[in-house]
Amino acid sequence: MNFLKAVLFVLFSLSALQVKAQSDTANTKSYADQVMIRVNLDTNIESYVFSEGEGKNTNETILSINNKTKTSFSIDYRIISATISFAPRFLDGNNDDEMKGKSSYTDLSFRFFPGRFIQNVYYKNVKGFYVENMKDLSPEWQEGIDPYIQFPDLRVQTFGGSTSYILNKNFSARSIYTQGEWQRKSSGSWIPFLDYDLTVFRNTINEVKSKETQYNIGGNIGYFYNWVIGKNVNISPYLAVGVGGKFSSYRELDNGSIKQNAQYATIRMQGGLHIGYNTDRFLFGGKMNFKNYAYDQKNNQTVENNNLYGLLYIGYRFAPPKVVKNTYDKVQKKIPVL
């Protein structure tokens, strides 16, 4: 409980710094004191690529989750944000459990902007994978008729974060990540950042349970640019590369004698594109991000983790109702960190 209280205190403190730091400048317009409601349509694609061999003799096995399209409704005011999301069964890709098996995906993240720093923390829980490239492994396999090989008990949990620093003080990262600001003039910035995570893999095959724990850390450098077109449109691409290390510990839970420890050097790349339309009241746009890293194992084996995320959003800002503002102000007097 003491640890949980400490974490919550840090999160609220960082959030408070974010709100206090947001004010209009010559380069940015702030929306910190506005209520924003937004509807999102998003996809999450998680896959692992296992390669063995070299050149024409390379064999690949691609494990993916059963892709989900989700809708969510969010409401934001100052540091408070609430979201409800679901995966409608009538959308294409949400109703093929018979062929690909069931997959679940949960992703919870917080992002704060104390000064010129960007601090991100997240939790991700993925369960249920299938072999995507069945045709490569079995030429007689027929799509739509034969089911995919499934790993319903394969579960991947990740606790992670990243710490970044914006080198150009005139660049507004909030205008891209949260739409909490609008950047008035086009500007870009180099942003070095450190990312880190703890990932736990759990699986059961033929009643044999296994667990692998991985620690990852990497140093990266990326360039972010916010191209402002007229008064209402921005296009924001970015690309980052980095190197890091992976420390892995594997064991079979039913056989304590089988343990493996390993260390790997990793190569990382990520990028994305955000296109948005913004007014003081109405906003909409789309984002597409990719992230992958690869590391070499022994005997010409390579493992890649690929993540692709797309999002469409539409939102509306308005002045907070008096009852909301007055209630928040009263609570803030009793709890200053708010």
Side-chain angles (χ1 to χ4, degrees):
M1 289 298 295
N2 291 333
F3 174 76
L4 178 59
K5 290 180 180 179
V7 171
L8 291 176
F9 177 78
V10 171
L11 293 180
F12 279 123
S13 298
L14 287 172
S15 298
L17 287 173
Q18 174 184 350
V19 172
K20 291 179 181 178
Q22 287 184 324
S23 58
D24 289 349
T25 68
N27 295 300
T28 59
K29 179 178 179 60
S30 173
Y31 297 106
D33 292 326
Q34 297 289 304
V35 175
M36 182 176 68
I37 56 174
R38 185 165 64 178
V39 177
N40 309 299
L41 179 69
D42 65 86
T43 64
N44 290 284
I45 302 174
E46 187 86 8
S47 66
Y48 292 86
V49 181
F50 299 87
S51 302
E52 185 172 6
E54 292 182 334
K56 296 181 180 180
N57 297 322
T58 301
N59 297 316
E60 287 189 345
T61 301
I62 304 175
L63 295 184
S64 299
I65 64 170
N66 188 353
N67 302 340
K68 298 293 184 181
T69 302
K70 298 180 181 179
T71 60
S72 62
F73 172 79
S74 63
I75 181 169
D76 296 81
Y77 177 59
R78 295 189 185 179
I79 70 169
I80 297 177
S81 177
T83 302
I84 183 171
S85 62
F86 59 97
R89 300 295 301 173
F90 58 84
L91 293 179
D92 186 32
N94 285 357
N95 49 15
D96 53 358
D97 292 349
E98 183 177 349
M99 290 293 180
K100 298 179 179 179
K102 293 183 179 181
S103 294
S104 61
Y105 188 105
T106 302
D107 188 353
L108 179 64
S109 64
F110 300 88
R111 182 176 281 114
F112 311 100
F113 299 88
R116 288 159 66 181
F117 282 93
I118 307 173
Q119 179 61 54
N120 181 46
V121 292
Y122 66 89
Y123 167 73
K124 183 164 59 176
N125 183 12
V126 185
K127 184 178 181 182
F129 288 76
Y130 70 94
V131 177
E132 182 179 340
N133 59 327
M134 286 296 300
K135 199 69 175 179
D136 297 335
L137 304 180
S138 179
E140 65 276 8
W141 181 86
Q142 301 181 59
E143 185 174 2
I145 298 177
D146 300 322
Y148 293 80
I149 295 176
Q150 301 170 15
F151 297 91
D153 296 317
L154 178 55
R155 181 182 183 184
V156 184
Q157 288 180 287
T158 302
F159 305 83
S162 64
T163 303
S164 312
Y165 184 74
I166 303 170
L167 296 181
N168 182 358
K169 64 180 181 180
N170 295 320
F171 178 76
S172 172
R174 299 184 189 94
S175 64
I176 300 174
Y177 287 120
T178 65
Q179 288 75 56
E181 287 183 348
W182 174 254
Q183 187 170 299
R184 304 177 193 270
K185 300 178 181 179
S186 299
S187 181
S189 179
W190 288 99
I191 300 180
F193 59 97
L194 183 71
D195 60 57
Y196 33 85
D197 69 70
L198 164 65
T199 300
V200 180
F201 296 81
R202 292 183 176 89
N203 197 15
T204 302
I205 299 178
N206 297 326
E207 299 184 352
V208 177
K209 296 181 179 180
S210 62
K211 178 181 178 181
E212 181 176 357
T213 303
Q214 295 182 353
Y215 301 90
N216 300 281
I217 186 169
N220 313 266
I221 182 70
Y223 189 77
F224 296 68
Y225 191 78
N226 193 3
W227 181 26
V228 181
I229 303 176
K231 295 182 179 180
N232 304 105
V233 178
N234 69 322
I235 300 177
S236 307
Y238 82 94
L239 181 66
V241 295
V243 295
K246 175 186 292 291
F247 307 90
S248 173
S249 175
Y250 171 86
R251 64 189 177 97
E252 291 186 359
L253 302 182
D254 298 326
N255 189 346
S257 63
I258 299 180
K259 296 181 179 180
Q260 295 178 352
N261 296 317
Q263 300 82 38
Y264 309 100
T266 60
I267 300 175
R268 302 150 177 265
M269 176 179 288
Q270 59 180 285
L273 178 68
H274 167 244
I275 301 175
Y277 177 87
N278 179 80
T279 68
D280 290 344
R281 291 286 177 255
F282 181 70
L283 63 150
F284 68 88
K287 300 181 180 182
M288 180 64 70
N289 297 312
F290 74 88
K291 181 178 181 180
N292 61 63
Y293 70 83
Y295 61 96
D296 291 329
Q297 294 182 325
K298 298 178 180 179
N299 301 322
N300 295 325
Q301 293 180 332
T302 302
V303 180
E304 297 180 36
N305 174 223
N306 301 317
N307 181 264
L308 181 65
Y309 174 75
L311 180 147
L312 296 174
Y313 66 87
I314 183 170
Y316 184 74
R317 301 188 190 94
F318 55 92
K322 289 185 178 180
V323 64
V324 173
K325 185 179 184 302
N326 293 339
T327 301
Y328 190 97
D329 290 341
K330 290 179 180 178
V331 174
Q332 189 179 42
K333 290 180 180 180
K334 297 181 179 180
I335 309 176
V337 294
L338 293 178

